[in-house]
Short mmCIF file of all heavy atoms in Angstrom, two decimals:
data_model
loop_
_atom_site.label_atom_id
_atom_site.label_comp_id
_atom_site.label_asym_id
_atom_site.label_seq_id
_atom_site.Cartn_x
_atom_site.Cartn_y
_atom_site.Cartn_z
N MET J 1 38.08 5.43 22.78
CA MET J 1 39.41 5.55 22.29
C MET J 1 40.04 4.15 22.10
O MET J 1 39.80 3.33 22.95
CB MET J 1 40.18 6.45 23.19
CG MET J 1 41.65 6.56 22.86
SD MET J 1 42.50 7.84 23.77
CE MET J 1 42.08 9.28 22.77
N ASP J 2 40.79 4.01 21.07
CA ASP J 2 41.49 2.71 20.75
C ASP J 2 42.58 2.54 21.79
O ASP J 2 43.65 3.29 21.75
CB ASP J 2 42.02 2.85 19.37
CG ASP J 2 42.75 1.63 19.02
OD1 ASP J 2 42.61 0.64 19.74
OD2 ASP J 2 43.35 1.60 17.90
N LEU J 3 42.49 1.60 22.67
CA LEU J 3 43.52 1.28 23.65
C LEU J 3 44.77 0.68 23.13
O LEU J 3 45.65 0.46 23.85
CB LEU J 3 42.93 0.52 24.84
CG LEU J 3 41.91 1.26 25.71
CD1 LEU J 3 41.40 0.37 26.85
CD2 LEU J 3 42.53 2.64 26.27
N GLU J 4 44.65 0.30 21.85
CA GLU J 4 45.88 -0.29 21.15
C GLU J 4 46.64 0.76 20.48
O GLU J 4 47.75 0.56 19.94
CB GLU J 4 45.47 -1.30 20.20
CG GLU J 4 44.77 -2.60 20.89
CD GLU J 4 45.63 -3.22 21.89
OE1 GLU J 4 46.77 -3.43 21.65
OE2 GLU J 4 45.10 -3.53 22.97
N ALA J 5 46.19 2.08 20.42
CA ALA J 5 46.83 3.16 19.72
C ALA J 5 48.16 3.44 20.49
O ALA J 5 48.24 3.24 21.70
CB ALA J 5 46.01 4.35 19.66
N PRO J 6 49.19 3.86 19.82
CA PRO J 6 50.43 4.22 20.45
C PRO J 6 50.32 5.41 21.36
O PRO J 6 49.43 6.18 21.24
CB PRO J 6 51.45 4.44 19.31
CG PRO J 6 50.57 4.87 18.20
CD PRO J 6 49.26 4.04 18.38
N TYR J 7 51.22 5.48 22.31
CA TYR J 7 51.21 6.67 23.27
C TYR J 7 51.70 7.86 22.50
O TYR J 7 52.56 7.79 21.73
CB TYR J 7 52.07 6.45 24.40
CG TYR J 7 51.56 5.30 25.37
CD1 TYR J 7 52.35 4.11 25.49
CD2 TYR J 7 50.45 5.55 26.08
CE1 TYR J 7 51.86 3.08 26.35
CE2 TYR J 7 50.03 4.50 26.97
CZ TYR J 7 50.69 3.28 27.10
OH TYR J 7 50.29 2.32 27.95
N ARG J 8 51.17 9.07 22.93
CA ARG J 8 51.63 10.26 22.32
C ARG J 8 53.09 10.58 22.74
O ARG J 8 53.95 11.07 21.96
CB ARG J 8 50.81 11.42 22.62
CG ARG J 8 51.16 12.71 22.01
CD ARG J 8 50.12 13.73 22.17
NE ARG J 8 50.55 14.91 21.43
CZ ARG J 8 49.79 16.03 21.33
NH1 ARG J 8 48.65 16.09 21.88
NH2 ARG J 8 50.21 17.10 20.69
N TYR J 9 53.40 10.22 23.98
CA TYR J 9 54.73 10.41 24.57
C TYR J 9 55.22 9.07 25.10
O TYR J 9 55.25 8.89 26.36
CB TYR J 9 54.71 11.48 25.66
CG TYR J 9 54.16 12.77 25.15
CD1 TYR J 9 52.85 13.20 25.45
CD2 TYR J 9 54.88 13.63 24.39
CE1 TYR J 9 52.23 14.31 24.99
CE2 TYR J 9 54.45 14.84 23.87
CZ TYR J 9 53.05 15.24 24.27
OH TYR J 9 52.57 16.38 23.77
N PRO J 10 55.58 8.15 24.23
CA PRO J 10 55.88 6.78 24.76
C PRO J 10 57.10 6.75 25.80
O PRO J 10 57.19 5.84 26.55
CB PRO J 10 56.26 6.04 23.55
CG PRO J 10 56.59 7.03 22.51
CD PRO J 10 55.68 8.33 22.90
N GLU J 11 57.95 7.74 25.66
CA GLU J 11 59.17 7.71 26.61
C GLU J 11 58.85 8.44 27.94
O GLU J 11 59.56 8.29 28.90
CB GLU J 11 60.31 8.47 25.98
CG GLU J 11 60.82 7.78 24.68
CD GLU J 11 61.19 6.28 24.94
OE1 GLU J 11 61.80 5.96 25.89
OE2 GLU J 11 60.81 5.51 24.09
N GLY J 12 57.71 9.03 28.04
CA GLY J 12 57.29 9.69 29.32
C GLY J 12 56.51 8.86 30.11
O GLY J 12 56.35 7.56 29.90
N ARG J 13 56.14 9.27 31.36
CA ARG J 13 55.35 8.48 32.31
C ARG J 13 54.37 9.36 33.04
O ARG J 13 54.78 10.53 33.33
CB ARG J 13 56.27 7.75 33.40
CG ARG J 13 57.22 6.64 32.83
CD ARG J 13 56.40 5.55 32.39
NE ARG J 13 57.29 4.52 31.73
CZ ARG J 13 57.65 4.38 30.52
NH1 ARG J 13 57.34 5.29 29.54
NH2 ARG J 13 58.43 3.31 30.10
N ILE J 14 53.20 8.88 33.27
CA ILE J 14 52.17 9.56 34.13
C ILE J 14 52.24 8.77 35.45
O ILE J 14 52.00 7.60 35.45
CB ILE J 14 50.83 9.61 33.53
CG1 ILE J 14 50.83 10.40 32.23
CG2 ILE J 14 49.85 10.17 34.50
CD1 ILE J 14 49.48 10.30 31.50
N LEU J 15 52.62 9.48 36.44
CA LEU J 15 52.76 8.86 37.85
C LEU J 15 51.51 9.34 38.64
O LEU J 15 51.22 10.47 38.79
CB LEU J 15 54.01 9.34 38.60
CG LEU J 15 55.31 9.13 37.82
CD1 LEU J 15 56.51 9.64 38.73
CD2 LEU J 15 55.41 7.66 37.47
N VAL J 16 50.77 8.34 39.17
CA VAL J 16 49.71 8.59 39.96
C VAL J 16 50.04 8.01 41.43
O VAL J 16 50.35 6.77 41.54
CB VAL J 16 48.41 7.89 39.47
CG1 VAL J 16 47.20 7.99 40.43
CG2 VAL J 16 48.10 8.30 38.12
N PHE J 17 49.98 8.89 42.36
CA PHE J 17 50.44 8.54 43.74
C PHE J 17 49.08 8.31 44.54
O PHE J 17 48.17 9.16 44.39
CB PHE J 17 51.21 9.66 44.41
CG PHE J 17 52.47 9.84 43.75
CD1 PHE J 17 52.71 10.73 42.68
CD2 PHE J 17 53.61 9.19 44.21
CE1 PHE J 17 53.89 10.88 42.10
CE2 PHE J 17 54.91 9.34 43.74
CZ PHE J 17 55.03 10.19 42.57
N ALA J 18 48.96 7.16 45.15
CA ALA J 18 47.74 6.78 45.80
C ALA J 18 47.97 6.06 47.13
O ALA J 18 48.95 5.35 47.26
CB ALA J 18 46.93 5.82 44.90
N ARG J 19 47.05 6.32 47.95
CA ARG J 19 47.04 5.56 49.29
C ARG J 19 45.84 4.48 49.13
O ARG J 19 44.90 4.69 48.46
CB ARG J 19 46.64 6.48 50.39
CG ARG J 19 47.65 7.48 50.75
CD ARG J 19 47.10 8.23 51.94
NE ARG J 19 47.99 9.36 52.23
CZ ARG J 19 48.96 9.30 53.15
NH1 ARG J 19 49.18 8.21 53.91
NH2 ARG J 19 49.76 10.31 53.44
N ALA J 20 46.05 3.42 49.87
CA ALA J 20 44.87 2.48 50.05
C ALA J 20 43.77 3.23 50.70
O ALA J 20 43.94 4.04 51.66
CB ALA J 20 45.28 1.25 50.79
N PRO J 21 42.54 3.18 50.18
CA PRO J 21 41.49 3.94 50.71
C PRO J 21 40.94 3.37 51.93
O PRO J 21 39.80 2.81 52.05
CB PRO J 21 40.38 3.83 49.56
CG PRO J 21 40.70 2.60 48.91
CD PRO J 21 42.16 2.36 48.98
N VAL J 22 41.65 3.50 53.01
CA VAL J 22 41.21 3.05 54.38
C VAL J 22 40.55 4.18 55.08
O VAL J 22 41.26 5.20 55.22
CB VAL J 22 42.49 2.53 55.12
CG1 VAL J 22 42.07 2.06 56.60
CG2 VAL J 22 43.14 1.42 54.34
N ALA J 23 39.35 3.97 55.61
CA ALA J 23 38.58 4.91 56.36
C ALA J 23 39.56 5.42 57.48
O ALA J 23 40.13 4.68 58.24
CB ALA J 23 37.33 4.37 56.84
N GLY J 24 39.53 6.80 57.63
CA GLY J 24 40.37 7.37 58.72
C GLY J 24 41.84 7.59 58.31
O GLY J 24 42.57 8.29 59.01
N ARG J 25 42.21 7.06 57.11
CA ARG J 25 43.64 7.33 56.67
C ARG J 25 43.82 8.21 55.40
O ARG J 25 44.77 8.55 54.94
CB ARG J 25 44.28 5.91 56.42
CG ARG J 25 44.20 4.88 57.54
CD ARG J 25 45.42 5.19 58.57
NE ARG J 25 46.72 5.40 58.05
CZ ARG J 25 47.59 4.53 58.02
NH1 ARG J 25 47.48 3.32 58.55
NH2 ARG J 25 48.83 4.88 57.52
N VAL J 26 42.56 8.39 54.76
CA VAL J 26 42.51 9.18 53.53
C VAL J 26 41.61 10.33 53.70
O VAL J 26 40.58 10.27 54.34
CB VAL J 26 42.19 8.38 52.26
CG1 VAL J 26 43.31 7.38 51.89
CG2 VAL J 26 40.90 7.68 52.38
N LYS J 27 41.89 11.43 53.06
CA LYS J 27 41.01 12.61 53.03
C LYS J 27 40.48 12.94 54.40
O LYS J 27 39.31 13.08 54.76
CB LYS J 27 39.71 12.30 52.09
CG LYS J 27 40.15 12.10 50.64
CD LYS J 27 40.71 13.45 50.14
CE LYS J 27 41.34 13.29 48.76
NZ LYS J 27 42.34 14.39 48.51
N THR J 28 41.47 13.13 55.32
CA THR J 28 41.14 13.38 56.72
C THR J 28 40.40 14.71 56.98
O THR J 28 39.58 14.72 57.91
CB THR J 28 42.33 13.20 57.63
OG1 THR J 28 43.36 14.09 57.15
CG2 THR J 28 42.88 11.74 57.61
N ARG J 29 40.74 15.70 56.17
CA ARG J 29 40.15 16.99 56.47
C ARG J 29 38.69 16.90 55.96
O ARG J 29 37.72 17.41 56.63
CB ARG J 29 40.89 18.13 55.83
CG ARG J 29 42.19 18.41 56.50
CD ARG J 29 42.98 19.53 55.75
NE ARG J 29 43.39 18.97 54.49
CZ ARG J 29 44.27 19.41 53.81
NH1 ARG J 29 45.01 20.50 54.21
NH2 ARG J 29 44.74 18.85 52.62
N LEU J 30 38.46 16.20 54.82
CA LEU J 30 37.05 15.97 54.31
C LEU J 30 36.42 15.20 55.32
O LEU J 30 35.16 15.31 55.54
CB LEU J 30 37.14 15.32 52.96
CG LEU J 30 35.79 15.06 52.29
CD1 LEU J 30 35.00 16.34 52.08
CD2 LEU J 30 36.07 14.31 51.03
N ALA J 31 36.92 14.04 55.88
CA ALA J 31 36.30 13.23 56.80
C ALA J 31 35.76 13.93 58.01
O ALA J 31 34.77 13.49 58.55
CB ALA J 31 37.25 12.14 57.22
N ALA J 32 36.40 15.07 58.41
CA ALA J 32 35.92 15.73 59.53
C ALA J 32 34.48 16.38 59.32
O ALA J 32 33.68 16.53 60.23
CB ALA J 32 36.90 16.92 59.85
N VAL J 33 34.20 16.46 57.95
CA VAL J 33 32.80 17.07 57.64
C VAL J 33 31.82 15.91 57.31
O VAL J 33 30.67 15.97 57.63
CB VAL J 33 32.97 18.05 56.47
CG1 VAL J 33 31.63 18.53 56.00
CG2 VAL J 33 33.91 19.15 56.84
N VAL J 34 32.38 14.97 56.48
CA VAL J 34 31.45 13.92 55.86
C VAL J 34 31.53 12.58 56.59
O VAL J 34 30.78 11.71 56.26
CB VAL J 34 31.57 13.83 54.40
CG1 VAL J 34 31.30 15.15 53.64
CG2 VAL J 34 32.92 13.28 54.02
N GLY J 35 32.42 12.45 57.42
CA GLY J 35 32.71 11.10 58.10
C GLY J 35 33.78 10.26 57.32
O GLY J 35 33.96 10.45 56.13
N THR J 36 34.48 9.41 58.11
CA THR J 36 35.56 8.64 57.52
C THR J 36 35.16 7.68 56.42
O THR J 36 35.84 7.54 55.45
CB THR J 36 36.32 7.96 58.62
OG1 THR J 36 35.48 7.04 59.31
CG2 THR J 36 37.02 8.87 59.66
N GLY J 37 34.00 7.02 56.61
CA GLY J 37 33.52 6.14 55.54
C GLY J 37 33.26 6.80 54.25
O GLY J 37 33.57 6.28 53.21
N ARG J 38 32.54 7.91 54.32
CA ARG J 38 32.17 8.62 53.10
C ARG J 38 33.39 9.13 52.43
O ARG J 38 33.52 9.11 51.23
CB ARG J 38 31.18 9.70 53.45
CG ARG J 38 30.81 10.52 52.25
CD ARG J 38 29.84 9.72 51.46
NE ARG J 38 29.32 10.63 50.32
CZ ARG J 38 29.36 10.24 49.00
NH1 ARG J 38 29.63 9.01 48.72
NH2 ARG J 38 28.95 11.13 48.07
N ALA J 39 34.35 9.70 53.22
CA ALA J 39 35.50 10.24 52.76
C ALA J 39 36.35 9.16 51.93
O ALA J 39 36.84 9.40 50.87
CB ALA J 39 36.39 10.87 53.79
N ALA J 40 36.44 7.97 52.57
CA ALA J 40 37.10 6.88 51.88
C ALA J 40 36.42 6.46 50.61
O ALA J 40 37.06 6.17 49.55
CB ALA J 40 37.25 5.71 52.87
N ALA J 41 35.17 6.45 50.61
CA ALA J 41 34.31 6.08 49.40
C ALA J 41 34.59 7.08 48.34
O ALA J 41 34.72 6.79 47.11
CB ALA J 41 32.86 5.98 49.71
N LEU J 42 34.57 8.41 48.63
CA LEU J 42 34.87 9.40 47.67
C LEU J 42 36.28 9.29 47.13
O LEU J 42 36.48 9.40 45.91
CB LEU J 42 34.63 10.79 48.27
CG LEU J 42 33.30 11.32 48.54
CD1 LEU J 42 33.15 12.41 49.45
CD2 LEU J 42 32.45 11.48 47.17
N TYR J 43 37.17 9.01 47.97
CA TYR J 43 38.57 8.82 47.58
C TYR J 43 38.75 7.61 46.53
O TYR J 43 39.40 7.76 45.55
CB TYR J 43 39.50 8.57 48.78
CG TYR J 43 40.92 8.36 48.40
CD1 TYR J 43 41.70 9.51 48.07
CD2 TYR J 43 41.53 7.14 48.24
CE1 TYR J 43 43.04 9.33 47.70
CE2 TYR J 43 42.81 6.95 47.82
CZ TYR J 43 43.60 8.06 47.56
OH TYR J 43 44.86 7.97 47.16
N ARG J 44 38.03 6.58 46.84
CA ARG J 44 38.09 5.42 45.90
C ARG J 44 37.58 5.86 44.53
O ARG J 44 38.13 5.54 43.54
CB ARG J 44 37.21 4.24 46.52
CG ARG J 44 37.88 3.30 47.41
CD ARG J 44 37.16 2.13 47.77
NE ARG J 44 35.90 2.36 48.44
CZ ARG J 44 35.63 2.63 49.74
NH1 ARG J 44 36.71 2.52 50.52
NH2 ARG J 44 34.47 2.78 50.24
N SER J 45 36.37 6.51 44.59
CA SER J 45 35.83 6.97 43.32
C SER J 45 36.73 7.89 42.56
O SER J 45 36.96 7.82 41.30
CB SER J 45 34.51 7.66 43.53
OG SER J 45 33.95 8.29 42.40
N TRP J 46 37.33 8.84 43.29
CA TRP J 46 38.21 9.83 42.63
C TRP J 46 39.56 9.18 42.13
O TRP J 46 40.01 9.54 41.02
CB TRP J 46 38.57 10.94 43.52
CG TRP J 46 37.46 11.83 43.93
CD1 TRP J 46 36.26 12.03 43.16
CD2 TRP J 46 37.19 12.59 45.19
NE1 TRP J 46 35.36 12.86 43.81
CE2 TRP J 46 35.96 13.23 45.07
CE3 TRP J 46 38.04 12.79 46.33
CZ2 TRP J 46 35.58 14.02 46.04
CZ3 TRP J 46 37.49 13.59 47.28
CH2 TRP J 46 36.28 14.21 47.13
N LEU J 47 39.98 8.16 42.87
CA LEU J 47 41.18 7.50 42.40
C LEU J 47 40.92 6.62 41.21
O LEU J 47 41.71 6.77 40.26
CB LEU J 47 41.74 6.54 43.54
CG LEU J 47 42.94 5.72 43.16
CD1 LEU J 47 44.09 6.55 42.70
CD2 LEU J 47 43.34 4.85 44.33
N ARG J 48 39.81 5.99 41.14
CA ARG J 48 39.42 5.18 40.00
C ARG J 48 39.33 6.11 38.72
O ARG J 48 39.72 5.81 37.63
CB ARG J 48 38.13 4.42 40.19
CG ARG J 48 37.64 3.67 38.96
CD ARG J 48 36.48 2.85 39.24
NE ARG J 48 36.81 1.78 40.15
CZ ARG J 48 37.25 0.55 39.71
NH1 ARG J 48 37.57 0.41 38.45
NH2 ARG J 48 37.43 -0.39 40.61
N THR J 49 38.62 7.27 38.90
CA THR J 49 38.42 8.20 37.76
C THR J 49 39.78 8.70 37.30
O THR J 49 39.93 8.74 36.09
CB THR J 49 37.48 9.32 38.24
OG1 THR J 49 36.23 8.85 38.56
CG2 THR J 49 37.38 10.38 37.09
N THR J 50 40.67 9.02 38.18
CA THR J 50 41.94 9.58 37.87
C THR J 50 42.71 8.57 37.00
O THR J 50 43.28 8.88 35.97
CB THR J 50 42.72 9.92 39.06
OG1 THR J 50 42.07 11.01 39.80
CG2 THR J 50 44.16 10.41 38.71
N VAL J 51 42.75 7.29 37.51
CA VAL J 51 43.53 6.23 36.80
C VAL J 51 42.86 5.98 35.40
O VAL J 51 43.53 5.86 34.38
CB VAL J 51 43.64 4.97 37.66
CG1 VAL J 51 44.22 3.85 36.77
CG2 VAL J 51 44.43 5.22 38.94
N GLU J 52 41.51 5.90 35.38
CA GLU J 52 40.85 5.61 34.16
C GLU J 52 41.17 6.76 33.10
O GLU J 52 41.43 6.43 31.97
CB GLU J 52 39.32 5.51 34.32
CG GLU J 52 38.95 4.22 34.97
CD GLU J 52 37.49 4.14 35.31
OE1 GLU J 52 36.73 5.16 35.14
OE2 GLU J 52 37.04 2.98 35.71
N ARG J 53 41.11 7.96 33.56
CA ARG J 53 41.31 9.05 32.64
C ARG J 53 42.79 9.11 32.09
O ARG J 53 43.02 9.31 30.90
CB ARG J 53 40.96 10.43 33.22
CG ARG J 53 39.43 10.64 33.43
CD ARG J 53 39.16 11.92 33.98
NE ARG J 53 37.74 11.99 34.15
CZ ARG J 53 37.09 13.14 34.59
NH1 ARG J 53 37.85 14.09 35.16
NH2 ARG J 53 35.85 13.13 34.61
N ALA J 54 43.72 8.88 33.02
CA ALA J 54 45.14 8.80 32.65
C ALA J 54 45.36 7.61 31.59
O ALA J 54 46.05 7.86 30.61
CB ALA J 54 46.02 8.64 33.82
N VAL J 55 44.77 6.49 31.85
CA VAL J 55 45.07 5.35 30.88
C VAL J 55 44.38 5.65 29.54
O VAL J 55 45.00 5.40 28.49
CB VAL J 55 44.50 4.11 31.59
CG1 VAL J 55 44.50 2.91 30.57
CG2 VAL J 55 45.37 3.69 32.78
N THR J 56 43.09 6.08 29.53
CA THR J 56 42.41 6.25 28.29
C THR J 56 42.91 7.45 27.51
O THR J 56 42.73 7.48 26.25
CB THR J 56 40.86 6.36 28.43
OG1 THR J 56 40.59 7.49 29.27
CG2 THR J 56 40.30 5.12 29.06
N ALA J 57 43.59 8.37 28.08
CA ALA J 57 44.20 9.49 27.39
C ALA J 57 45.29 9.11 26.40
O ALA J 57 45.58 9.75 25.42
CB ALA J 57 44.66 10.55 28.30
N ARG J 58 45.92 7.98 26.73
CA ARG J 58 47.00 7.40 25.86
C ARG J 58 48.17 8.45 25.66
O ARG J 58 48.75 8.42 24.50
CB ARG J 58 46.47 6.94 24.54
CG ARG J 58 45.40 5.91 24.52
CD ARG J 58 45.75 4.61 25.22
NE ARG J 58 46.76 3.97 24.38
CZ ARG J 58 47.54 2.98 24.81
NH1 ARG J 58 47.30 2.43 25.99
NH2 ARG J 58 48.43 2.40 24.05
N LEU J 59 48.49 9.32 26.61
CA LEU J 59 49.56 10.28 26.55
C LEU J 59 50.87 9.57 26.82
O LEU J 59 51.87 9.86 26.07
CB LEU J 59 49.26 11.49 27.51
CG LEU J 59 48.10 12.32 27.15
CD1 LEU J 59 47.89 13.26 28.26
CD2 LEU J 59 48.29 12.98 25.76
N ALA J 60 50.86 8.77 27.77
CA ALA J 60 52.17 8.10 28.23
C ALA J 60 51.77 6.87 29.05
O ALA J 60 50.67 6.87 29.58
CB ALA J 60 53.15 8.95 28.97
N PRO J 61 52.64 5.87 29.23
CA PRO J 61 52.35 4.80 30.13
C PRO J 61 52.02 5.33 31.57
O PRO J 61 52.62 6.37 31.94
CB PRO J 61 53.50 3.97 30.16
CG PRO J 61 54.13 4.25 28.79
CD PRO J 61 53.90 5.66 28.57
N VAL J 62 51.11 4.73 32.27
CA VAL J 62 50.72 5.12 33.59
C VAL J 62 51.32 4.24 34.59
O VAL J 62 51.20 3.01 34.47
CB VAL J 62 49.15 5.16 33.71
CG1 VAL J 62 48.84 5.49 35.16
CG2 VAL J 62 48.52 6.08 32.81
N GLU J 63 51.93 4.90 35.66
CA GLU J 63 52.51 4.06 36.78
C GLU J 63 51.70 4.40 37.99
O GLU J 63 51.52 5.59 38.38
CB GLU J 63 53.97 4.34 36.97
CG GLU J 63 54.84 3.93 35.92
CD GLU J 63 56.26 4.16 36.17
OE1 GLU J 63 56.68 4.62 37.27
OE2 GLU J 63 57.12 3.99 35.18
N LEU J 64 51.24 3.54 38.70
CA LEU J 64 50.52 3.67 40.09
C LEU J 64 51.54 3.50 41.24
O LEU J 64 52.01 2.37 41.41
CB LEU J 64 49.38 2.73 40.20
CG LEU J 64 48.50 2.95 41.37
CD1 LEU J 64 47.81 4.35 41.32
CD2 LEU J 64 47.39 1.91 41.41
N TRP J 65 51.87 4.48 41.94
CA TRP J 65 52.71 4.49 43.07
C TRP J 65 51.87 4.53 44.36
O TRP J 65 51.02 5.43 44.55
CB TRP J 65 53.68 5.76 43.12
CG TRP J 65 54.63 5.65 41.96
CD1 TRP J 65 54.44 5.62 40.67
CD2 TRP J 65 56.05 5.56 42.10
NE1 TRP J 65 55.63 5.57 39.95
CE2 TRP J 65 56.61 5.45 40.84
CE3 TRP J 65 56.93 5.55 43.25
CZ2 TRP J 65 57.97 5.47 40.61
CZ3 TRP J 65 58.28 5.44 42.97
CH2 TRP J 65 58.84 5.39 41.76
N THR J 66 51.95 3.47 45.16
CA THR J 66 50.99 3.35 46.26
C THR J 66 51.65 3.19 47.63
O THR J 66 52.87 2.96 47.77
CB THR J 66 50.29 2.01 46.06
OG1 THR J 66 51.16 0.82 46.18
CG2 THR J 66 49.63 1.88 44.72
N THR J 67 50.82 3.54 48.59
CA THR J 67 51.27 3.29 49.99
C THR J 67 50.01 2.83 50.73
O THR J 67 48.94 3.28 50.47
CB THR J 67 51.78 4.61 50.66
OG1 THR J 67 52.29 4.27 51.99
CG2 THR J 67 50.83 5.75 50.80
N PRO J 68 49.99 1.74 51.47
CA PRO J 68 51.15 0.89 51.60
C PRO J 68 51.49 0.23 50.24
O PRO J 68 50.88 0.56 49.34
CB PRO J 68 50.64 -0.09 52.68
CG PRO J 68 49.21 -0.05 52.68
CD PRO J 68 48.83 1.28 52.23
N ALA J 69 52.32 -0.78 50.40
CA ALA J 69 52.65 -1.39 49.13
C ALA J 69 51.59 -1.91 48.23
O ALA J 69 50.48 -2.07 48.70
CB ALA J 69 53.55 -2.63 49.53
N VAL J 70 51.95 -2.06 46.97
CA VAL J 70 50.97 -2.50 45.98
C VAL J 70 50.33 -3.77 46.31
O VAL J 70 49.19 -4.04 45.79
CB VAL J 70 51.59 -2.49 44.53
CG1 VAL J 70 52.55 -3.72 44.44
CG2 VAL J 70 50.60 -2.43 43.49
N GLY J 71 50.77 -4.51 47.25
CA GLY J 71 50.21 -5.83 47.71
C GLY J 71 48.90 -5.65 48.57
O GLY J 71 48.37 -6.61 48.92
N HIS J 72 48.59 -4.29 48.92
CA HIS J 72 47.32 -4.17 49.71
C HIS J 72 46.18 -4.74 48.90
O HIS J 72 46.09 -4.60 47.67
CB HIS J 72 47.17 -2.70 49.93
CG HIS J 72 46.09 -2.38 50.85
ND1 HIS J 72 44.75 -2.22 50.41
CD2 HIS J 72 46.07 -2.13 52.26
CE1 HIS J 72 44.00 -1.98 51.38
NE2 HIS J 72 44.69 -1.88 52.47
N PRO J 73 45.26 -5.31 49.50
CA PRO J 73 44.11 -5.96 48.79
C PRO J 73 43.34 -4.99 47.83
O PRO J 73 42.88 -5.43 46.80
CB PRO J 73 43.14 -6.36 49.91
CG PRO J 73 44.07 -6.61 51.09
CD PRO J 73 45.08 -5.60 50.94
N TYR J 74 43.21 -3.74 48.20
CA TYR J 74 42.50 -2.77 47.26
C TYR J 74 43.17 -2.80 45.99
O TYR J 74 42.48 -2.66 44.85
CB TYR J 74 42.48 -1.44 47.94
CG TYR J 74 41.83 -0.43 46.96
CD1 TYR J 74 40.36 -0.43 46.81
CD2 TYR J 74 42.51 0.49 46.14
CE1 TYR J 74 39.71 0.39 45.94
CE2 TYR J 74 41.87 1.34 45.29
CZ TYR J 74 40.45 1.37 45.15
OH TYR J 74 39.86 2.17 44.33
N PHE J 75 44.54 -2.79 45.86
CA PHE J 75 45.22 -2.62 44.63
C PHE J 75 45.33 -3.91 43.86
O PHE J 75 45.82 -3.92 42.63
CB PHE J 75 46.66 -2.03 44.78
CG PHE J 75 46.57 -0.70 45.47
CD1 PHE J 75 47.14 -0.39 46.62
CD2 PHE J 75 46.07 0.36 44.82
CE1 PHE J 75 47.00 0.77 47.27
CE2 PHE J 75 45.92 1.65 45.35
CZ PHE J 75 46.40 1.84 46.61
N ALA J 76 44.89 -5.01 44.42
CA ALA J 76 44.93 -6.35 43.67
C ALA J 76 43.84 -6.23 42.54
O ALA J 76 44.02 -6.69 41.53
CB ALA J 76 44.56 -7.46 44.55
#
């Protein structure tokens, strides 16, 4: 898809809420089954996929809302 194409809804926003993928802090119910490291790895993969799909859809600008702050090394 042409990433220079205009957004379908330029006045809208797609908000993606994300945590830094720290083992033991994300996907805790899943971690009880697969372990904290694997759960964090899955979360990283799912987050990347979510953001990539939102951006390439070109529906509206994408905003990433994070915790902890966006200054966390993962979000750099």
Side-chain angles (χ1 to χ4, degrees):
M1 177 170 271
D2 180 10
L3 291 180
E4 297 301 317
Y7 294 111
R8 184 168 183 177
Y9 305 102
E11 300 303 316
R13 294 293 178 270
I14 297 173
L15 306 180
V16 178
F17 295 88
R19 291 181 186 265
V22 176
R25 302 283 311 258
V26 294
K27 298 295 174 200
T28 55
R29 289 178 293 203
L30 178 63
V33 177
V34 301
T36 58
R38 180 71 178 136
L42 287 167
Y43 181 80
R44 277 190 296 275
S45 175
W46 294 334
L47 177 57
R48 178 176 291 277
T49 298
T50 298
V51 171
E52 286 174 352
R53 287 181 180 177
V55 168
T56 59
R58 303 297 297 166
L59 293 174
V62 176
E63 293 182 9
L64 185 61
W65 290 62
T66 66
T67 186
V70 75
H72 188 277
Y74 178 77
F75 298 119

